[in-house]
Amino acid sequence: MLETSARLLKMLSLLQTPRDWTGPELAERLGVTTRTVRNDVDRLRTLGYPVHATPGVAGGYKLGAGASLPPLLLDDEEAVAIALSLSTQESETAAQALKKLEQVLPTRLRHRLSTVQEYTVGTAKELDPEVATSIVTACRAQERLRFDYVTFDGRQDRREVEPYRLVHTRGRWYLVAWDITRQDWRTFRADRVQPRVPNGPRFTPRDLPDLEAYLAQGLATAAWRFRATVVVHAPAHEIAAKVPAALVEAVDDTTCRMTAGSDTPEMLAVYLGMLGCDFEVDGPPELVHHLGKTADRFRKAINTAEHG
């Protein structure tokens, strides 16, 4: 016979499956009497778990949604964060776990989760749940979002935008929005966003650009401190496969133009070194200088080897 605490956890697991359990069925699965099942159900209710009972031959026990979170050792923000993460994982196990969690989420949290799911694109990674909720709530309400923003060079800025989507790509979350001041589409790193309250006035939605194409261009040209456009003497599809983080455009069948970015010229040089083909670089000056130093270092290494 299972100890009481272990038996209660086992019963919870059974009750969270999408079916009703009769008293005798639970008693058989747990190895106890039907009286012990009734006592255990009372214990779970005392702890805050909403166990519903339906009388009659076709009735039984099942776990329902409560007015407040049962004692899962999760606060509201943690519950939403876990549910969001589970909802964007492509596995049957994650889907089952999400179904169990949603079953006991209070109505207010289920509403928040559905909003986050509707206005996010991509696989979930760590992001402050309060920031995510503030962004997607503004998206759904079609209200201007005001926020403090840390730019790529560390400056503090204040923005007001029409928010549309929260997108995960290339290991980060990004807010896609229409910038009121600049009158153009912009992409903001969500981990650098600190929403301000209250939101601004409602707005009339615009037609969204193609998110995949827009983000590919925006992240290659605007999200980094150093950016370079390089003419590469190789077909575009070959270069795109080698440097997926870059924007690659075909010039002709044997030449393409690659736009890449990084927080350091050293990393840009690494990208170029991975190409394995000839290229031409006009800037930025930091990259040109670094490539010159690297070339000199390699020549020196070859000369040393030849005279060694």
Side-chain angles (χ1 to χ4, degrees), residues 11-278:
M11 179 180 284
L12 271 178
S13 177
L14 294 173
L15 292 175
Q16 287 181 118
T17 56
R19 55 158 291 184
D20 287 3
W21 290 84
T22 66
E25 287 176 332
L26 288 173
E28 181 180 357
R29 292 294 293 268
L30 299 173
V32 295
T33 65
T34 54
R35 180 177 180 179
T36 300
V37 167
R38 291 194 297 270
N39 291 336
D40 285 349
V41 167
D42 289 339
R43 290 190 181 96
L44 290 177
R45 288 169 175 165
T46 300
L47 291 171
Y49 291 94
V51 181
H52 300 323
T54 304
V57 177
Y61 298 100
K62 67 178 180 179
L63 195 63
S68 59
L69 268 180
L72 296 173
L73 303 180
L74 299 174
D75 60 23
D76 286 6
E77 302 303 330
E78 292 169 338
V80 171
I82 291 174
L84 173 59
S85 179
L86 290 171
S87 70
T88 54
Q89 295 181 33
E90 297 180 358
S91 77
E92 184 177 348
T93 301
Q96 292 173 349
L98 175 63
K99 186 178 296 185
K100 291 180 179 180
L101 181 58
E102 285 181 326
Q103 195 172 11
V104 295
L105 284 178
T107 302
R108 68 180 187 280
L109 295 187
R110 288 202 300 273
H111 177 72
R112 283 178 58 182
L113 177 60
S114 66
T115 300
V116 171
Q117 291 171 326
E118 183 177 355
Y119 288 91
T120 56
V121 179
T123 304
K125 298 292 182 182
E126 186 173 352
L127 179 65
D128 186 334
E130 289 192 27
V131 172
T133 301
S134 296
I135 291 174
V136 297
T137 299
C139 290
R140 168 174 262 183
Q142 297 175 1
E143 294 176 343
R144 289 185 182 181
L145 184 67
R146 298 163 172 157
F147 57 89
D148 295 324
Y149 189 68
V150 180
T151 61
F152 65 84
D153 56 359
R155 293 185 297 105
Q156 293 285 338
D157 199 3
R158 184 166 297 179
R159 299 294 183 91
E160 182 170 350
V161 303
E162 297 175 359
Y164 285 84
R165 290 293 185 276
L166 188 60
V167 182
H168 186 270
T169 183
R170 299 178 187 175
R172 297 187 187 279
W173 282 104
Y174 295 93
L175 165 64
V176 177
W178 177 267
D179 192 299
I180 302 301
T181 302
R182 293 155 180 79
Q183 286 295 292
D184 198 4
W185 292 100
R186 287 290 188 272
T187 303
F188 303 92
R189 269 182 49 176
D191 60 319
R192 296 176 177 173
V193 169
Q194 185 57 54
R196 302 176 65 87
V197 292
N199 289 338
R202 290 177 58 86
F203 60 86
T204 301
R206 307 170 191 270
D207 292 332
L208 264 173
D210 182 288
L211 285 179
E212 183 176 354
Y214 172 73
L215 284 169
Q217 180 179 10
L219 297 182
T221 60
W224 307 105
R225 184 178 180 184
F226 295 98
R227 296 175 294 278
T229 299
V230 183
V231 175
V232 185
H233 296 281
H237 68 275
E238 292 183 6
I239 300 305
K242 291 179 179 179
V243 192
L247 175 65
V248 181
E249 303 169 292
V251 175
D252 53 41
D253 291 342
T254 60
T255 310
C256 63
R257 183 177 293 104
M258 182 186 79
T259 302
S262 176
D263 287 335
T264 66
E266 290 81 5
M267 186 55 67
L268 274 176
V270 170
Y271 289 156
L272 297 177
M274 292 169 58
L275 300 181
C277 53
D278 294 337

